[in-house]
Protein backbone atom coordinates (compact mmCIF):
# COMPACT_ATOMS: atom_id res chain seq x y z
CA UNK A 1 0.00 0.00 0.00
CA UNK A 2 1.37 3.42 -0.92
CA UNK A 3 2.27 5.97 1.73
CA UNK A 4 0.18 8.70 0.16
CA UNK A 5 -3.19 8.33 -1.48
CA UNK A 6 -4.24 11.21 -3.69
CA UNK A 7 -7.79 11.78 -4.83
CA UNK A 8 -7.68 15.48 -5.79
CA UNK A 9 -10.45 15.01 -8.36
CA UNK A 10 -12.95 13.78 -5.74
CA UNK A 11 -15.28 15.75 -3.51
CA UNK A 12 -14.47 15.79 0.21
CA UNK A 13 -17.20 13.27 1.06
CA UNK A 14 -16.12 10.96 -1.78
CA UNK A 15 -12.47 11.23 -0.70
CA UNK A 16 -13.51 10.26 2.84
CA UNK A 17 -15.41 7.24 1.50
CA UNK A 18 -12.41 6.23 -0.61
CA UNK A 19 -10.07 6.59 2.38
CA UNK A 20 -12.44 4.48 4.54
CA UNK A 21 -12.56 1.81 1.82
CA UNK A 22 -8.77 1.78 1.60
CA UNK A 23 -8.43 1.44 5.38
CA UNK A 24 -10.95 -1.39 5.42
CA UNK A 25 -9.14 -3.23 2.63
CA UNK A 26 -5.86 -2.87 4.49
CA UNK A 27 -7.45 -4.31 7.64
CA UNK A 28 -8.86 -7.30 5.73
CA UNK A 29 -5.50 -7.89 4.03
CA UNK A 30 -3.77 -7.99 7.42
CA UNK A 31 -6.19 -10.67 8.64
CA UNK A 32 -5.74 -12.62 5.40
CA UNK A 33 -1.95 -12.46 5.81
CA UNK A 34 -2.24 -13.77 9.38
CA UNK A 35 -4.41 -16.69 8.23
CA UNK A 36 -1.82 -17.45 5.53
CA UNK A 37 0.88 -17.53 8.21
CA UNK A 38 -1.23 -19.84 10.40
CA UNK A 39 -1.84 -22.22 7.51
CA UNK A 40 1.78 -22.02 6.37
CA UNK A 41 2.93 -23.05 9.83
CA UNK A 42 0.54 -26.00 9.76
CA UNK A 43 -1.53 -24.67 12.66
CA UNK A 44 -5.23 -25.43 12.94
CA UNK A 45 -7.92 -23.07 14.17
CA UNK A 46 -8.27 -25.38 17.18
CA UNK A 47 -4.61 -24.89 18.08
CA UNK A 48 -4.88 -21.12 17.83
CA UNK A 49 -8.09 -21.20 19.88
CA UNK A 50 -6.36 -23.15 22.67
CA UNK A 51 -3.49 -20.63 22.76
CA UNK A 52 -5.94 -17.72 22.84
CA UNK A 53 -8.28 -19.39 25.32
CA UNK A 54 -11.30 -19.08 23.02
CA UNK A 55 -13.40 -21.47 20.96
CA UNK A 56 -12.50 -22.61 17.46
CA UNK A 57 -15.71 -20.95 16.27
CA UNK A 58 -14.47 -17.61 17.55
CA UNK A 59 -11.19 -18.03 15.65
CA UNK A 60 -13.16 -19.02 12.56
CA UNK A 61 -15.36 -15.92 12.82
CA UNK A 62 -12.28 -13.71 13.17
CA UNK A 63 -10.77 -15.21 10.02
CA UNK A 64 -13.86 -14.56 7.91
CA UNK A 65 -13.66 -11.93 5.19
CA UNK A 66 -16.36 -9.71 6.68
CA UNK A 67 -15.14 -9.87 10.27
CA UNK A 68 -14.03 -6.76 12.08
CA UNK A 69 -11.95 -7.87 15.07
CA UNK A 70 -10.46 -5.35 17.45
CA UNK A 71 -6.79 -4.50 17.05
CA UNK A 72 -5.99 -6.15 20.39
CA UNK A 73 -7.58 -9.39 19.15
CA UNK A 74 -5.51 -9.22 15.97
CA UNK A 75 -2.35 -8.69 18.03
CA UNK A 76 -3.14 -11.71 20.20
CA UNK A 77 -3.82 -13.84 17.12
CA UNK A 78 -0.55 -12.68 15.53
CA UNK A 79 1.34 -13.61 18.68
CA UNK A 80 -0.34 -17.03 18.73
CA UNK A 81 0.77 -17.82 15.17
CA UNK A 82 4.26 -16.38 15.63
CA UNK A 83 3.79 -13.23 13.55
CA UNK A 84 4.55 -9.57 14.07
CA UNK A 85 2.36 -6.67 13.10
CA UNK A 86 4.02 -3.45 12.00
CA UNK A 87 1.79 -0.40 12.25
CA UNK A 88 2.33 2.93 10.61
CA UNK A 89 0.21 6.05 10.46
CA UNK A 90 0.66 8.58 7.66
CA UNK A 91 -1.08 11.79 6.73
CA UNK A 92 -3.41 11.68 3.74
CA UNK A 93 -2.03 14.64 1.82
CA UNK A 94 -5.22 15.04 -0.22
CA UNK A 95 -7.22 15.55 2.99
CA UNK A 96 -4.76 18.20 4.17
CA UNK A 97 -4.87 19.97 0.80
CA UNK A 98 -8.68 19.97 0.63
CA UNK A 99 -9.04 21.56 4.04
CA UNK A 100 -6.01 23.83 3.92
CA UNK A 101 -4.99 22.53 7.33
CA UNK A 102 -1.40 22.06 8.31
CA UNK A 103 -0.40 19.77 11.10
CA UNK A 104 2.50 21.08 13.11
CA UNK A 105 5.12 18.53 13.89
Amino acid sequence: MANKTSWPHLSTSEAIRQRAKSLSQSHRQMISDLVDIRVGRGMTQDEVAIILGVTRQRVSRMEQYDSNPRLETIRRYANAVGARIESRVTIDESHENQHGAKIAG
Side-chain angles (χ1 to χ4, degrees), residues 20-34 64-67:
K21 182 178 179 181
S22 175
L23 289 166
S24 179
Q25 289 170 339
S26 176
H27 188 79
R28 285 193 301 271
Q29 184 61 53
M30 179 173 45
I31 293 168
S32 177
D33 291 345
L34 287 169
Q64 291 176 4
Y65 179 79
D66 60 349
S67 71

Side-chain angles (χ1 to χ4, degrees), residues 30-60:
M30 179 173 45
I31 293 168
S32 177
D33 291 345
L34 287 169
V35 172
D36 290 346
I37 289 170
R38 174 185 65 75
V39 171
R41 292 181 184 252
M43 295 178 75
T44 66
Q45 289 179 339
D46 285 317
E47 291 169 323
V48 174
I50 290 168
I51 294 168
L52 296 176
V54 300
T55 65
R56 186 203 55 78
Q57 289 81 5
R58 188 160 176 200
V59 171
S60 176

